[in-house]
Each structure stands twice: as C-alpha cells, then as structure tokens.
Amino acid sequence: MITMCSSSGLLSAILLGYFLRLLQLLSTCLAFSLVASVGTWMGAVSNWSVFIWCFCFLVTLIILIIEFCGLQSRFPFSWYNFLITYACYAALLCTSASIVYPITYIWFFPHGRSQDHAIAATAFSCIASVAYASEAAWARTWVWLGVITGYMVTVPGLLKGLETFVAGVIFAFIIDSHLYLHQPALVWCVAVYSICFLLAATALLLNWCDCDNRLPIAFPTFLLGLTLLSVLLYTTALVLWPLYQFDEQFGGQPERSSCNDGLIYSFCTWDQQLAVAILTAINLLIYVVDLVFLAHMVFSRTEDQLRGSQFPLLYKS
C-alpha cells in the first residue's frame, strides 16, 4: 500500500512538472512573439527582456527534450539540482522582465495595437514567472520529503542565487562604461561587483558539480569566508558609488535633471546611477543576512563538536 502511494505521488509529481514546463514554454514563447510581431522591440531594456524570454524558452525546451529521451543520467552533475537552480533563476529573470519592461515601454506607446501587445507580453511574462516559481516551490516540497536533494532550495543556496541575480541586474545598468571610467573609485566599485559575483558563482558551481566535499575545509566554513569578504567589499562600494555619483565635491550630480540622453526607450544616466546605488544596498543586505545565517550554522556545528569531544575526556586518567 505504501509503495502504491509513493508511486502514485511520484507519477503526480512528474505530470505536474511536465504541465509547468509546457506552461513555461507557451508563456515565454507568446511573450517574445507578441513583442517582436508589432515592432515594439527597441532599446536596451526591450533587448534584455526579449533575451530573457527567448533564453528561458530555449532552455526549457532543451530540458523537456532531455527528459522525454531519458538522458538525465548522461550528465556529470546532479540533474535535479540543475533543475532547481534553473527554475529559481528563471523565476527571478522573468519577474525582472515583467517589472522593467512595462515601466519602460507601455506608458510610451499610444493606445492601440502596439500597447495592447506590450500589455499582453507583460501578462504572459508574469504567467511564466509564476510557473517557474511554482516549479521551484514544488521542488522544495520534494526536498523536504527527502525524495530529491538540492542546494538551491536551502536558505544559503537561495541567498547565493539572489546575490548573483542582483549582481547581474547591476551589470545590466552599468553596461555603459561612461558611468564609471572617469573615476578610479567607481572602477573599483565595478571590480567589487565582478569579484563578488564570481565568488558567489564559484560557490554555486562547486555544489552543483558535487565538488564541495573535496575542499580542505568544511563547505559552510568556506562559504562563511567568501561571504565575509563580499560583505567587506560591498561596504566599500556602498560608500564610494553614491559619493562619487551624487556628491558635487567629487564630481557627482546630486539632483536629477531633465533626461537629455536622446533615448525614449531607455533609462536616463542619473536613473541608472541611482538604480545601481539602490541595488548595491539591497545586495549588501542579502550578503549580511547570508553571513549571519552561515555564522550561526558554522558556530553551532563547532559547538556541537566540542560538546561531543568532551565525553571521551571524562574517561581519561
């Protein structure tokens, strides 16, 4: 009876996974098709949104083909860990496109077919976000039940994913080098974003490839060191970026003037600078939460080991 129930539950989970992936395929395909069909694809933000929808559609299609052909075991890494990681990132990416695209574009289109297609594309992007988030939540349930394992559905994994995602959004805003090349302090901030992104990505890749057990120290201790370094680096960026972008004494612009960049479907330079400052603060907060959680995990484990090592000492003469 237990075997029948577990088999039925596994079959239901598989069917739910296929349903969610078909919904993801349909919604992302409709999102970029609606934008491309009426010429509402213009500007850097639109390019980024269309890239997100096309990328998610392509990767989801490849995943479906691999699962239909039963090729999961051919890969040298945990397939379920990859699925969880991808679902989390795809949910974040589609959510960002669902927010940034309508804010930047819908209000500029006149009432008519172009605006209707942009609104519909945003709606399907929201549906894709919900579908990917539902897959991540579904995977988290199966991790709790012990059926599958996945680092990305743990608190440290989710925080590491958020850190790399926010850094990726920062990179999208600083793609124009004129924002920082004129000041060495701002170049340092960009270096901080890059270094911390690489550190977090390295931690994710080590766990994804099952290489975390090959480190000379415990993996949580390794993560604690990386996170502490990232907190220190991001603190310098949080101080220097607003100082050199918004303080007149350091050549900054304290107030937003009229946007004279000549681009309708884009962000003004001052808006980009402000967005990077806000995202820097958000990512620093995520790193601090990650640091506190990892410190509690490491010191709790160390304390338990010390308590366990005291019992043999009681029997020594």
Side-chain angles (χ1 to χ4, degrees):
M1 184 68 179
I2 296 177
T3 304
M4 292 177 61
C5 292
S6 61
S7 301
S8 176
L10 184 60
L11 179 62
S12 301
I14 294 174
L15 292 176
L16 177 60
Y18 283 135
F19 170 76
L20 289 175
R21 292 199 182 94
L22 289 175
L23 182 60
Q24 294 159 7
L25 274 180
L26 179 64
S27 54
T28 52
C29 180
L30 288 172
F32 71 75
S33 299
L34 285 166
V35 171
S37 62
V38 291
T40 57
W41 179 5
M42 60 190 75
V45 176
S46 182
N47 292 341
W48 172 246
S49 300
V50 172
F51 168 77
I52 288 174
W53 297 325
C54 292
F55 173 79
C56 293
F57 172 81
L58 181 62
V59 175
T60 304
L61 180 62
I62 293 174
I63 289 173
L64 270 176
I65 293 174
I66 291 173
E67 291 188 334
F68 273 125
C69 297
L71 302 176
Q72 301 95 313
S73 59
R74 303 288 182 90
F75 293 90
F77 50 80
S78 172
W79 178 253
Y80 290 110
N81 207 357
F82 165 74
L83 291 181
I84 295 169
T85 304
Y86 169 67
C88 292
Y89 275 111
L92 292 172
L93 288 171
C94 289
T95 300
S96 66
S98 303
I99 296 173
V100 175
Y101 181 79
I103 291 176
T104 311
Y105 285 87
I106 289 180
W107 309 113
F108 294 103
F109 290 127
H111 293 286
R113 189 181 176 204
S114 296
Q115 190 181 68
D116 293 340
H117 278 234
I119 294 173
T122 303
F124 282 112
S125 181
C126 294
I127 293 173
S129 303
V130 173
Y132 283 115
S134 299
E135 183 181 354
W138 161 80
R140 187 178 180 87
T141 301
W142 283 95
V143 170
W144 283 341
L145 295 176
V147 178
I148 60 177
T149 58
Y151 174 67
M152 279 299 293
V153 293
T154 63
V155 174
L158 288 173
L159 291 174
K160 279 287 174 285
L162 281 175
E163 291 159 6
T164 55
F165 172 75
V166 175
V169 178
I170 291 176
F171 292 144
F173 279 109
I174 60 175
I175 193 171
D176 295 327
S177 59
H178 72 273
L179 289 176
Y180 55 86
L181 282 182
H182 61 285
Q183 286 286 357
L186 298 177
V187 175
W188 165 254
C189 294
V190 176
V192 166
Y193 304 141
S194 303
I195 292 171
C196 294
F197 173 82
L198 291 175
L199 291 177
T202 300
L204 290 174
L205 288 174
L206 284 174
N207 187 273
W208 187 26
C209 299
D210 295 328
C211 298
D212 50 329
N213 294 325
R214 301 178 184 179
L215 296 174
I217 59 175
F219 189 59
T221 306
F222 173 74
L223 291 179
L224 180 62
L226 293 186
T227 308
L228 178 59
L229 177 60
S230 299
V231 167
L232 296 176
L233 292 175
Y234 255 88
T235 302
T236 64
L238 183 62
V239 174
L240 294 176
W241 184 271
L243 189 65
Y244 281 86
Q245 295 286 17
F246 306 117
D247 195 328
E248 287 182 337
Q249 295 181 355
F250 295 90
Q253 183 180 352
E255 295 182 359
R256 185 183 190 273
S257 59
S258 59
C259 185
N260 56 0
D261 295 347
L263 298 175
I264 298 176
Y265 304 106
S266 183
F267 287 103
C268 297
T269 299
W270 195 88
D271 295 337
Q272 291 176 282
Q273 296 167 349
L274 179 63
V276 172
I278 294 173
L279 290 170
T280 301
I282 292 174
N283 220 13
L284 177 59
L285 179 61
I286 297 173
Y287 273 110
V288 169
V289 174
D290 193 9
L291 179 66
V292 172
F293 187 88
L294 287 171
H296 179 267
M297 179 189 300
V298 170
F299 291 130
S300 296
R301 179 176 299 181
T302 304
E303 185 178 352
D304 292 340
Q305 291 175 350
L306 289 175
R307 287 178 180 175
S309 65
Q310 289 175 358
F311 290 100
L313 294 176
L314 296 176
Y315 298 96
K316 287 185 178 181
S317 56

